[in-house]
Amino acid sequence: PDGRVRVFCSYEGENLKAYEGKHPELREALERKYADLLSLLSSHGILHGHPHRENITVTEQNGNLILKVIDFDQAKSPENA
């Protein structure tokens, strides 16, 4: 919401691939959030390196789906891509 990117060393939730398998009715909403998340990273000049669904976690907070990116070991800045 505030446009900042936060990086955590630990995480909670379930990976996006597993979550989609358990909640197919939410697939469209999750797709939009996933695309928005990748766009946000890009707008901040962050290239994740391998942003597949197992590197995205999903949690629910107050009825909202929250997606977070994990595993930045292959991340690069555009200057070093």
Side-chain angles (χ1 to χ4, degrees):
D2 60 12
R4 293 186 291 174
V5 174
R6 293 170 180 83
V7 178
F8 299 90
C9 295
S10 63
Y11 60 90
E12 60 182 35
E14 188 167 17
N15 75 55
L16 179 56
K17 182 178 178 179
Y19 195 88
E20 286 175 325
K22 292 179 181 178
H23 304 279
E25 73 282 3
L26 298 175
R27 187 165 177 82
E28 189 175 314
L30 290 166
E31 278 292 324
R32 281 191 307 271
K33 287 186 172 284
Y34 179 60
D36 290 347
L37 183 58
L38 296 180
S39 178
L40 178 65
L41 286 175
S42 179
S43 74
H44 285 278
I46 298 169
L47 303 174
H48 184 272
H50 54 146
H52 55 79
R53 287 173 154 61
E54 292 173 336
N55 282 339
I56 309 293
T57 63
V58 181
T59 57
E60 293 181 48
Q61 294 177 355
N62 301 320
N64 295 314
L65 295 171
I66 308 296
L67 275 61
K68 296 179 182 175
V69 182
I70 61 172
D71 193 4
F72 280 86
D73 67 314
Q74 294 181 24
K76 296 180 180 183
S77 67
E79 302 85 43
N80 298 321

